[in-house]
Amino acid sequence: AGEPALRGVPVDGVYDDHDYGLNDGGVGWELKEDARQLFLNEVVGAPADSARRTQRGGLYGSRTLGEPPRQLKVVMLDTRFGRADHAVPSPGGWSRVPKAGYLAGVTRSACALLGVGIRSPPAPVLGEFVRGSPSRRPEIGRDLGSSHSAPVLDEEQWAWLRTQLTNSTASAHLIVSSVQVLTSAAAVESWGHFPRERRRLLSLLEETRPRGALLLSGDVHYAELAGAPRAALPPGAELLEVTSSGLT
């Protein structure tokens, strides 16, 4: 029904787990390369020579819309292709277990409740824009029970992301993550189950300070608007996350 309305409209994006082919899937999915090519063919319509087809770390990419000085830069992260297992590997993809997704939620909640692992040392997070104030380093959200240091993005994608954000001239930046970033809901997949990686992402945003930054996420089958605690931010600064699962 939506096809006529979308004719002539560019469609872009990244997959999440069900598009990827495995519930809660990550780096270990044996068909991940097939998932990448299929998504780029059928959803994005990427050209045969697109770098997104062969680059290490997945189908991440960016697109800039508009003309200077009013440009929007859309930065799309691949949070599946190189993402390692959770501290306790998710049973969400177990095809022979009824309601495996619910079991996965219970497993993640139990890990957060029991504090699997030891919390790693704090790192700067977005909001401490004022240099020389190490005492102002409040956490945004919670690290969900663990110092789990496994990656969400591999190093190639991290390097690419830094390049995309450093000295960007766009007036607004939409940073797309298929899973939520700021949530403290333990049952769902999120960056919070990879606390070192979340701190690294927020620190990178603090360092590069892209103008008009907004997070866009999905995965959880509902809509939500989340923000960093205002007390953690300097006057006038905000970090918001829009979760719109119907669009991601």
Side-chain angles (χ1 to χ4, degrees):
E3 184 177 346
L6 291 176
R7 284 184 189 146
V9 177
V11 175
D12 212 334
V14 289
Y15 42 44
D16 195 40
D17 53 349
H18 293 179
D19 319 298
Y20 189 56
L22 182 68
N23 189 41
D24 294 357
V27 68
W29 176 223
E30 61 185 12
L31 298 178
K32 66 179 183 178
E33 189 57 58
D34 298 276
R36 165 161 58 176
Q37 301 304 326
L38 186 62
F39 190 87
L40 291 172
N41 286 339
E42 301 299 327
V43 178
V44 177
D49 60 352
S50 170
R52 297 174 72 183
R53 294 187 179 276
T54 57
Q55 65 193 7
R56 291 177 59 89
L59 53 65
Y60 52 90
S62 68
R63 173 174 289 204
T64 301
L65 307 174
E67 300 294 333
R70 303 180 65 181
Q71 287 185 312
L72 169 66
K73 189 170 193 177
V74 183
V75 180
M76 298 167 285
L77 305 178
D78 187 333
T79 62
R80 294 293 172 184
F81 201 90
R83 196 220 70 206
D85 283 337
H86 293 76
V88 175
S90 173
W94 294 358
S95 59
R96 297 183 180 181
V97 176
K99 303 294 184 181
Y102 293 105
L103 178 59
V106 171
T107 302
R108 286 188 289 267
S109 297
C111 288
L113 180 64
L114 298 175
V116 175
I118 301 172
R119 187 181 298 274
S120 56
V125 298
L126 189 70
E128 195 228 296
F129 292 145
V130 181
R131 298 293 180 180
S133 303
S135 61
R136 286 194 72 225
R137 293 192 176 181
E139 294 287 345
I140 294 177
R142 292 185 301 172
D143 289 345
L144 297 176
S146 171
S147 64
H148 191 42
S149 60
V152 173
L153 314 180
D154 65 14
E155 289 304 317
E156 288 80 7
Q157 189 172 176
W158 278 116
W160 169 86
L161 179 58
R162 174 177 291 277
T163 299
Q164 293 296 313
L165 299 178
T166 300
N167 300 321
S168 172
T169 59
S171 54
H173 295 77
L174 186 63
I175 301 166
V176 180
S177 167
S178 68
V179 296
Q180 291 183 305
V181 177
L182 298 179
T183 185
S184 59
V188 303
E189 285 197 278
S190 74
W191 285 72
H193 291 284
F194 298 83
R196 188 187 71 170
E197 289 286 274
R198 180 163 70 173
R199 287 194 294 270
R200 184 174 179 179
L201 176 62
L202 297 177
S203 294
L204 180 60
L205 291 174
E206 177 198 6
E207 178 185 341
T208 57
R209 303 186 190 185
R211 288 187 292 174
L214 178 69
L215 300 172
L216 175 65
S217 59
D219 179 60
V220 291
H221 300 207
Y222 55 79
E224 184 175 70
L225 179 64
R230 188 170 294 275
L233 303 173
E238 291 183 342
L239 177 64
L240 296 177
E241 177 177 359
V242 176
T243 298
S244 181
S245 296
L247 294 176
T248 59

